[in-house]
Amino acid sequence: MARRALITGITGQDGSYLAEHLLAEGYEVWGLVRGQSNPRVSRVRTLLRDVRLVRGDLLDQGSLISAMEKVQPDEVYNLGAISFVPMSWEQAELTAEVTGMGVLRMLEAIRVCSGVTASRGASAGQIRFYQASSSEMFGQVRETPQTERTPFHPRSPYGVAKAYGHFLTQNYRESYGMFAVSGILFNHESPRRGAEFVTRKVSLGVARIKLGLADELRLGNLEARRDWGFAGDYVRAMHMMLRRDSPEDYVIGTGRTHSVRELVVAAFEAAGLPWERYVVCDESLHRPAEVDLLCADPKKARTQLGWEPEVTFEQLIAMMVESDIRLLSAGEDPHQHSSWP
């Protein structure tokens, strides 16, 4: 029988790429959705026709237990979160409930449905759980590059909530013997990235300027550096982690950093435009507490999982700019299609 996977956050960037990957691997894929009125749900049905949907809410423990009982998954991928970091200051309590407490509710749903009541070793037939941890947990970094052992010092409510979920995943693994792992993923982007994220803001801004729809691009801190990779590469690592014989956490990233300025230069070059003519620095767009440098050390993932990124930074940015030029040329609303090409 085909293995069965349940994905939270199915309508987002990572959920869509992961669903495609698992379907190609022969899985039966289920997506957790809060309701049917969300326009992204209809796009899931249109673009991922073989994905089945089940109702559930990371804020509602009972709904997660019901979804788990209905789907009976072999693997659970918890990608659902309020993931736009600047918004986490504006909605700190909701971020804590969804991004942090949502992890607890998912782990409890798995524990209850699996009948786990005491500490025991991980068994071959139990539900395997993947938690989407984040490089934002490192925050004010103690060392560079960051490894699985680098201490956390998160600089946003989002990073704090992710750290809580990360430690909970470790705790349930150690306390109950659950096959529960965290992937500490560094920034990963694609044409499906939400329009509010800086990479997509840049690719959309460049596309608008290229098509004569705008004459400037306003950005905050151009010197902040990130380790950016392609989301399609990173979901392969998620699957690899759950196919291991034993549960362990892994840092996933390219091991190379680029500044926002370099991102801007690459995007404008992809469109054949001089960036200096159009970019305006706006201090009001700076974060209250900035994370200046995040860089992964993916050695463990490379040696134990055999994982390597395939898409380069330059290829990624060109892919996003070209996609947004096509999107805007067709008259599509990028905010309605921010998670889909």
Side-chain angles (χ1 to χ4, degrees):
M1 293 179 62
R3 293 187 65 81
R4 190 174 300 146
L6 173 63
I7 303 172
T8 73
I10 188 72
T11 62
Q13 168 188 257
D14 291 8
S16 66
Y17 279 112
L18 179 61
E20 289 174 341
H21 175 73
L22 294 178
L23 287 169
E25 292 289 320
Y27 276 64
E28 178 183 312
V29 178
W30 289 73
L32 187 80
V33 295
R34 293 176 62 189
Q36 303 301 313
S37 59
N38 186 335
R40 291 185 177 180
V41 172
S42 64
R43 289 197 288 279
V44 170
R45 294 190 183 279
T46 300
L47 298 172
L48 298 172
R49 296 182 183 276
D50 293 329
V51 170
R52 305 182 185 189
L53 302 180
V54 61
R55 288 178 182 255
D57 189 339
L58 290 173
L59 298 175
D60 180 1
Q61 181 73 77
S63 74
L64 298 179
I65 293 174
S66 296
M68 208 71 63
E69 290 176 340
K70 179 177 181 179
V71 176
Q72 296 289 306
D74 299 293
E75 299 171 7
V76 173
Y77 296 84
N78 186 41
L79 312 184
I82 295 178
S83 57
F84 184 47
V85 176
M87 186 183 294
S88 71
W89 276 282
E90 300 172 13
Q91 299 184 354
E93 183 178 354
L94 182 60
T95 298
E97 284 289 344
V98 175
T99 307
M101 289 294 292
V103 183
L104 174 61
R105 296 185 186 105
M106 287 300 301
L107 287 165
E108 274 294 286
I110 292 173
R111 187 186 66 81
V112 169
C113 293
S114 300
V116 177
T117 57
S119 179
R120 60 182 175 83
S123 62
Q126 70 170 278
I127 298 172
R128 298 189 169 203
F129 175 77
Y130 171 85
Q131 166 59 17
S133 289
S134 169
S135 61
E136 290 285 334
M137 300 186 304
F138 294 120
Q140 187 172 315
V141 297
R142 310 284 182 87
E143 61 185 14
T144 299
Q146 292 88 52
T147 73
E148 292 80 5
R149 296 184 177 276
T150 301
F152 298 149
H153 187 151
R155 300 267 283 169
S156 67
Y158 170 79
V160 172
K162 279 292 186 181
Y164 176 75
H166 180 85
F167 284 127
L168 271 175
T169 302
Q170 287 185 345
N171 187 257
Y172 271 63
R173 179 171 70 220
E174 295 169 359
S175 299
Y176 295 111
M178 292 173 59
F179 196 109
V181 306
S182 289
I184 308 175
L185 271 58
F186 282 64
N187 295 65
H188 46 289
E189 317 296 324
S190 76
R192 303 179 187 180
R193 190 50 134 165
E196 67 273 19
F197 289 84
V198 66
T199 48
R200 189 79 192 289
K201 181 178 181 180
V202 169
S203 64
L204 279 168
V206 171
R208 290 191 179 102
I209 292 170
K210 180 70 174 179
L211 296 173
L213 303 175
D215 56 12
E216 71 174 21
L217 173 60
R218 304 187 74 84
L219 295 169
N221 183 9
L222 296 183
E223 306 313 319
R225 302 186 69 87
R226 294 291 184 274
D227 184 333
W228 277 301
F230 174 51
D233 285 338
Y234 287 45
V235 300
R236 290 189 290 104
M238 299 177 189
H239 184 220
M240 289 175 173
M241 290 180 212
L242 290 197
R243 301 316 307 145
R244 292 274 297 171
D245 291 335
S246 59
E248 295 186 47
D249 302 329
Y250 293 87
V251 161
I252 303 297
T254 69
R256 298 180 59 193
T257 66
H258 297 273
S259 66
V260 175
R261 186 184 301 273
E262 290 173 290
L263 162 66
V264 168
V265 171
F268 276 93
E269 284 183 351
L273 297 171
W275 74 274
E276 299 95 331
R277 184 183 302 174
Y278 302 104
V279 175
V280 177
C281 293
D282 185 346
E283 289 191 4
S284 69
L285 298 176
H286 286 224
R287 292 184 183 183
E290 183 60 86
V291 175
D292 294 316
L293 176 60
L294 292 173
C295 181
D297 180 354
K299 180 179 178 181
K300 181 180 176 183
R302 184 170 58 247
T303 56
Q304 293 190 10
L305 301 178
W307 178 84
E308 292 279 359
E310 296 177 355
V311 177
T312 68
F313 173 76
E314 292 76 16
Q315 290 170 335
L316 168 63
I317 302 308
M319 176 199 309
M320 294 179 67
V321 171
E322 292 163 6
S323 174
D324 280 330
I325 290 174
R326 290 194 300 271
L327 181 73
L328 296 179
S329 295
E332 300 284 357
D333 181 353
H335 293 281
Q336 293 295 320
H337 293 263
S338 60
S339 288
W340 302 98

